Amino acid sequence: MRLRSIAVLLAAAALCAQPLPAVAAPPARTARPGVSVQPGKAAAGTTAWARGSAWTPGTTVQVQICGAGAVHGSADCDTGHGVTAMVAPAGTFEAGLTVGEPPSPCPCVVRAGTLPGTTGAPVTVTAPFTVAGHPTARIDRGVAPVRADVVGLEIVGSPDRGELFGGRPRRTLVLRIRNSGADPIRDAPLVIGWGAGSTPDSPLDAPKTGTLGPGQTATYRIPVVLPPAAFGHFVVGGRYAGSVPFKTGLNAYPWGLLGVNAMAALLLLIGIRLTLGRWARARRRRRNRAAGLPAHATADAAHPQVVPRTTPTVELADVIGYLDSVAPAPSGAYVVDRDELIGYLERRSGETLQPVDVEALDRFLALPGGEAR
């Protein structure tokens, strides 16, 4: 009996010494994008701050105050006071909202969602919010979705003179919507924006849509104003009634401003070239003065000797011919009229009146035996 008890104890000790199988740790939960608002209740015309976390960095988020819990999308939201925010590298954003009156009664929410065309999957989240003084009603989830078609979309207008020289580009978006459903569409929200890339994330002022009966077509003209000196291709787009998207583009190139800059650059290059030329000539004159050479002497690059520049010369035979044609003074000295001699030499060189080296002529007249007057 004692031996059996000892064997049982030894077997139990061996089992306890064996390591327990490893238990896999539960996978870490990925944080979902969220939004919060402070304060949670505010009156129309005041400001509330929406803050988001765990969003995809670099995406653009649109934030709006909506009624009816935003169950019908943008149709329940105050799109006129909606704002956009860029998500920071930490996945957070912050946006200030001007509280307005949403088209649907409360319960109200702050709705944050990625704009169409942004990277990643579309995300929309809400946070409870109360608009003080706004009516409250039961949410009607049986509202039929809006059925509408975009039958016309174009950008009209051409660049004016101010835009060509860096002014604000101004165009007009002409949007034509047709109600293809059996029910009238009343005060459908119209959200429009522009962007320098592929996403129209800068909002534009949109008009009231009014009531659009079945089969009717409405035309909306929306001014599009871009920043000064806008350059390149821009996209303009948005949504009608929260479910009918549209998008188009326009180009803006301030060619006049570019031409002025190009002309300024060309004049700068010409000025530099003239300055360098004057500097080179002044340096050559200083070098010639240091060497005791005439200012007009130039050096040949292949031969170090100085090669004088070719200038018109005075032919001695012409001067002698002139002196023989005039009578000497009673004293026996020749009386030379300088201006008359220059004219004579020019006529002798041909009817084309070639130039005369006046300095050489003056040096000749200064020799003994001649008297100039």
Side-chain angles (χ1 to χ4, degrees):
M1 254 335 258
R2 184 177 294 178
L3 294 176
R4 183 179 297 178
S5 300
I6 294 174
V8 171
L9 292 175
L10 291 175
L15 290 174
C16 293
Q18 292 181 357
L20 296 175
V23 178
R29 293 184 179 180
T30 304
R32 294 177 58 83
V35 64
S36 62
V37 58
Q38 291 293 333
K41 180 179 180 179
T46 60
T47 302
W49 288 91
R51 296 176 175 84
S53 60
W55 291 78
T56 302
T59 57
T60 303
V61 179
Q62 186 178 44
V63 186
Q64 305 171 94
I65 296 177
C66 309
V71 297
H72 307 117
S74 297
D76 293 327
C77 300
D78 178 22
T79 57
H81 292 96
V83 296
T84 58
M86 183 70 69
V87 179
T92 61
F93 71 84
E94 184 173 332
L97 277 170
T98 299
V99 180
E101 297 280 351
S104 301
C106 286
C108 297
V109 295
V110 169
R111 180 175 180 262
T114 54
L115 287 175
T118 55
T119 58
V123 178
T124 301
V125 296
T126 60
F129 185 73
T130 301
V131 179
H134 193 64
T136 302
R138 183 179 62 86
I139 299 176
D140 185 3
R141 299 180 180 270
V143 176
V146 172
R147 296 179 57 189
D149 299 315
V150 177
V151 295
L153 181 64
E154 62 176 335
I155 298 286
V156 299
S158 57
D160 57 13
R161 186 177 302 175
E163 177 183 341
L164 292 176
F165 291 93
R168 287 180 176 271
R170 300 177 185 273
R171 304 287 191 276
T172 301
L173 174 67
V174 180
L175 173 66
R176 300 180 69 241
I177 299 290
R178 182 179 60 212
N179 183 358
S180 56
D183 300 320
I185 302 175
R186 294 183 175 88
D187 298 324
L190 180 60
V191 180
I192 303 176
W194 68 272
S198 59
T199 303
D201 51 6
S202 297
L204 295 171
D205 293 333
K208 299 292 184 181
T209 58
T211 301
L212 186 61
Q216 290 183 346
T217 299
T219 301
Y220 306 102
R221 302 178 66 88
I222 300 97
V224 179
V225 182
L226 302 183
F231 181 90
H233 181 77
F234 299 87
V235 63
V236 179
R239 288 181 179 273
Y240 174 81
S243 58
V244 183
F246 55 88
K247 183 185 291 187
T248 185
L250 64 93
N251 296 319
Y253 296 100
W255 295 116
L257 183 61
L258 296 178
V260 170
N261 291 334
M263 182 63 69
L266 179 60
L267 293 177
L268 178 61
L269 293 177
I270 293 176
I272 293 175
R273 177 67 180 85
L274 294 177
T275 301
L276 292 177
R278 289 194 297 268
W279 176 80
R281 289 192 297 271
R283 183 179 180 185
R284 185 167 57 251
R285 286 195 298 268
R286 289 194 299 268
R287 187 168 59 248
N288 291 342
R289 284 198 300 268
L293 300 176
H296 61 270
T298 58
D300 192 345
H303 303 86
Q305 67 270 21
V306 175
V307 180
R309 187 171 56 190
T310 303
T311 56
T313 58
V314 177
E315 295 292 340
L316 182 60
D318 292 336
V319 178
I320 294 176
Y322 171 78
L323 296 177
D324 291 339
S325 65
V326 298
S331 62
Y334 287 104
V335 178
V336 180
D337 189 325
R338 182 177 182 275
D339 295 335
E340 184 180 350
L341 177 58
I342 291 175
Y344 171 81
L345 293 176
E346 289 179 343
R347 289 191 298 274
R348 289 284 297 170
S349 61
E351 296 301 327
T352 57
L353 298 180
Q354 296 293 331
V356 176
D357 190 345
V358 178
E359 295 181 358
L361 179 61
D362 289 340
R363 287 195 298 271
F364 174 80
L365 296 177
L367 295 176
E371 181 181 353
R373 61 177 182 140

